[in-house]
Amino acid sequence: MIALTAAEIAEITDGRLDADPGITPDSVVTDSREAAPGSLYVAKPGELADGHDFVDAAFRQGAVLVLAERPVTGPDGANYPAVVVEDAVLAMGALAAESVRRIRAAREAAGESLTVIGITGSAGKTTTKDLLAGILTTQGTTVAPQGSYNGEVGVPLTVFRADTGTRYLVIEMGATGVGHIRYLADMVQPDVGVVLGVGTAHAGEFGGVENIVQAKGELVEALAPGGTAILNLDDDRVAGMRARTRAAVLGFSAEDRHDAAVRADKPDTNPAGNPEFDLVLPGTDAGLHVTSRLIGAHHTVNLLAAASAAHAAGVPAAEIAESLSNQSAASRWRMERTERADGVTVINDAYNANPESMRAALRTLADLGRGRRTWAVLGAMLELGPDSIREHTAVGTQVVRLNISRLVVVGREARSLYVSAVQEGSWGDECVFAETLEDAYAFLDAELEPGDLVLFKSSNSVGLRHLGDRIALPPQSPEPANERSGLL
C-alpha cells in the first residue's frame, strides 16, 4: 500500500479528521475479521450488515484508523480514531485514484513505469485476469485481483495492494449498469483495456443488451491516445467499439479473422479437453504452439485476450506462449476438474453462469464425455430479466440435442430448463428436478457410478459450486449422510 497519513486521507476524501494526523495505515480492509496491526478499516454499510457495527472488532484486531460515515464510540466512551466521510465507498475510490497517481509519479521519477491493464466482458474476466497475471509475474512485480474483485469496492482493494515497486497492475472491471466501468476506469487510468465479449448476463439489470454494449465500451473510451484497446473481433458488438476509442486497437480472433493481429491458428482440443493452437502475434513469422491446461475450447478466447494484453505490455512472444502452456486454473469453480478415486469425474464450473457460458460448458461436457455417461447438474442463470424463461428453455433443449445422458435441474428458478428438456427429449427418468441442493445431493450420491462425468453449472448465489465440492469428495459410505450435510 502507498503510504498515506490520516491527514492526507482526510484531505483526499474531503473527510473530517478525528484522529492523530500522523497515523499511517499500512493496509486497507473492509472486513473486520481481516484487520491486522496497522490496518485502515473501512466501515461501509452493506446489504446484510453495517460495517460501523464492527469497528470495535477491527480495532481489537489491530486497526489504527477507521474510514467511516459517522463517529463510532468505543467502550471507554471516546470516539475511535477516524476519518468521517459522506460515502465510505466513494472515499475508497478517491484513495485508490490518488494511490495510482502517486505510484505512477514515483516510478516515472525513478525512470520506471507502471502499466495498468483493465479487463471487462460478460464472461471470462477472471480467467483472463489470472492468465495475464501469470504471464506478467514472470516480467516484474504484478498486482492482480483476488478472486473476482471487480467492483467499486473490489477495485480499490486491489489497488491498495500495489506500491511503488509494482510494475503491472491488472484490474478486473465488472458492472451492473451504465457508468460503472467509466467510474472504475477514471479511478485507475488504464494504459491497456481488454473487452472480451458482450453477452446477455445481467441484461435484466442493465435494461437490455445495448446498455451492456454501452457499459463495456466505457473502458476503451477511457483510454488515452497512447494506450491500447484489446478487442475480441469475433464479437461484432465488441468489434464495433473500435470507433469509440482514441487508443490504438489490437484485435484478436479465435475464428481466423484476417483483420485480427492476434489469432489462433489450427485451434483444437486434445483428448483431455485442453485448448491447443498456434499463437500468432504481431511481429512473429510463425505461430508459437500453445497447449493450455484449462478445460474447454471456449477458453481460447481468454488465452488470446491474455496474450494480446501481454504483447501490448511488451512481453516477448515466446515467453507469452510458454506461460500460457504452463498455467492451470488459478481461481476456483471455473471448469475445475476432480477425479474421484472411484472413477467419477467432477467438473465444477458453478462460480457463475449466463447463456453463453452455459452453452460453452455443455459443449465441453459433450466433447469430453464421448464413451462415458454424462451428467449435467444445472441451476438458474440469474439476472436475465424478461429473457429468463426463453434462455432457460434454450439450455434445456441444448442438453437434449448434445445427447447428455442425464440432467438434474436444481431449484424452482430453473424449472423452465427442466420442462423444455422433458418436452424436447420425451425423457423419463433421464431428467430429474430437485427442489433443493440437499435433494440433488441425495439423488446424485445414490445414482453416480464409476466412469461417470458430471458437470455443475449455475449462477453463483444458487450454490451449486458447493454441491459440486461435496460430490467431488471421495465417497464415505460408512458415514451417515446427515452427518455430512454441513458441507453444503
Side-chain angles (χ1 to χ4, degrees), residues 193-277:
V194 181
V195 184
L196 298 167
V198 173
T200 54
H202 309 294
E205 282 185 295
F206 275 89
V209 174
E210 290 312 310
N211 284 340
I212 299 177
V213 176
Q214 177 61 34
K216 300 303 181 185
E218 290 169 359
L219 174 55
V220 298
E221 288 177 342
L223 297 172
T228 305
I230 309 294
L231 300 179
N232 178 7
L233 300 187
D234 295 332
D235 185 320
D236 290 339
R237 294 187 177 105
V238 176
M241 294 177 189
R242 284 180 284 199
R244 294 173 59 183
T245 185
R246 301 168 295 165
V249 173
L250 183 62
F252 67 89
S253 171
E255 299 176 2
D256 199 28
R257 287 188 56 147
H258 294 293
D259 56 340
V262 180
R263 301 189 307 279
D265 276 357
K266 300 187 287 291
D268 202 354
T269 55
N270 63 22
N274 308 123
E276 290 189 85
F277 55 89

Side-chain angles (χ1 to χ4, degrees), residues 27-58:
S27 63
V28 181
V29 298
T30 57
D31 187 331
S32 62
R33 295 167 296 184
E34 297 175 358
S39 293
L40 167 65
Y41 171 61
V42 181
K44 65 180 184 67
E47 293 181 7
L48 302 177
D50 186 343
H52 295 80
D53 296 336
F54 301 94
V55 171
D56 181 69

Side-chain angles (χ1 to χ4, degrees), residues 140-153:
T141 303
T142 301
V143 171
Q146 298 172 327
S148 291
Y149 276 17
N150 62 22
E152 58 186 359
V153 173

Side-chain angles (χ1 to χ4, degrees), residues 169-187:
L169 178 58
V170 181
I171 300 294
E172 182 179 334
M173 296 183 178
T176 55
V178 173
H180 292 180
I181 290 176
R182 181 182 303 111
Y183 169 74
L184 299 175
D186 288 345
M187 182 191 304

Side-chain angles (χ1 to χ4, degrees), residues 94-422:
L95 291 175
E98 179 63 14
S99 295
V100 172
R101 190 193 69 77
R102 292 193 184 195
I103 292 170
R104 199 184 292 276
R107 289 190 63 83
E108 289 176 355
E112 299 172 326
S113 62
L114 170 70
T115 300
V116 181
I117 302 171
I119 301 171
T120 194
S122 296
K125 293 186 296 294
T126 299
T127 298
T128 301
K129 171 265 298 182
D130 289 338
L131 290 168
L132 178 58
I135 299 169
L136 297 178
T137 298
T138 67
Q139 309 295 308
T141 303
T142 301
V143 171
Q146 298 172 327
S148 291
Y149 276 17
N150 62 22
E152 58 186 359
V153 173
V155 169
L157 288 175
T158 299
V159 170
F160 295 144
R161 292 172 46 229
D163 57 26
T164 56
T166 301
R167 173 66 184 88
Y168 302 101
L169 178 58
V170 181
I171 300 294
E172 182 179 334
M173 296 183 178
T176 55
V178 173
H180 292 180
I181 290 176
R182 181 182 303 111
Y183 169 74
L184 299 175
D186 288 345
M187 182 191 304
V188 301
Q189 297 291 302
D191 304 288
V192 178
V194 181
V195 184
L196 298 167
V198 173
T200 54
H202 309 294
E205 282 185 295
F206 275 89
V209 174
E210 290 312 310
N211 284 340
I212 299 177
V213 176
Q214 177 61 34
K216 300 303 181 185
E218 290 169 359
L219 174 55
V220 298
E221 288 177 342
L223 297 172
T228 305
I230 309 294
L231 300 179
N232 178 7
L233 300 187
D234 295 332
D235 185 320
D236 290 339
R237 294 187 177 105
V238 176
M241 294 177 189
R242 284 180 284 199
R244 294 173 59 183
T245 185
R246 301 168 295 165
V249 173
L250 183 62
F252 67 89
S253 171
E255 299 176 2
D256 199 28
R257 287 188 56 147
H258 294 293
D259 56 340
V262 180
R263 301 189 307 279
D265 276 357
K266 300 187 287 291
D268 202 354
T269 55
N270 63 22
N274 308 123
E276 290 189 85
F277 55 89
D278 290 337
L279 174 63
V280 177
L281 289 166
T284 56
D285 295 330
L288 297 160
H289 193 69
V290 171
T291 300
S292 174
R293 297 182 182 181
L294 303 179
I295 300 173
H298 60 286
H299 280 308
T300 300
V301 169
N302 304 325
L303 291 156
L304 289 173
S308 302
H311 174 80
V315 182
E319 295 179 36
I320 293 173
E322 180 181 8
S323 179
L324 292 179
S325 293
N326 289 332
Q327 292 189 58
S328 302
S331 295
R332 292 216 58 205
W333 304 303
R334 276 90 168 176
M335 298 301 286
E336 184 177 86
R337 182 170 182 158
T338 302
E339 300 288 350
R340 289 191 350 187
D342 64 349
V344 172
T345 300
V346 174
I347 297 178
N348 194 336
D349 193 39
Y351 183 81
N352 221 331
N354 57 54
E356 294 78 19
S357 67
M358 186 74 82
R359 287 192 289 270
L362 289 169
R363 285 194 297 268
T364 299
L365 174 65
D367 289 342
L368 289 177
R370 294 190 179 99
R372 304 177 67 174
R373 188 168 68 156
T374 51
W375 292 75
V377 183
L378 308 180
M381 303 174 288
L382 302 178
E383 299 165 351
L384 295 179
D387 295 331
S388 181
I389 292 177
R390 178 174 59 82
E391 294 290 3
H392 283 90
T393 298
V395 170
T397 301
Q398 183 191 20
V399 170
V400 176
R401 293 179 180 179
L402 286 173
N403 293 316
I404 306 299
S405 308
R406 304 289 298 272
L407 171 65
V408 179
V409 178
V410 184
R412 290 222 157 261
E413 289 174 302
R415 188 167 178 82
S416 56
L417 194 162
Y418 165 78
V419 171
S420 69
V422 171

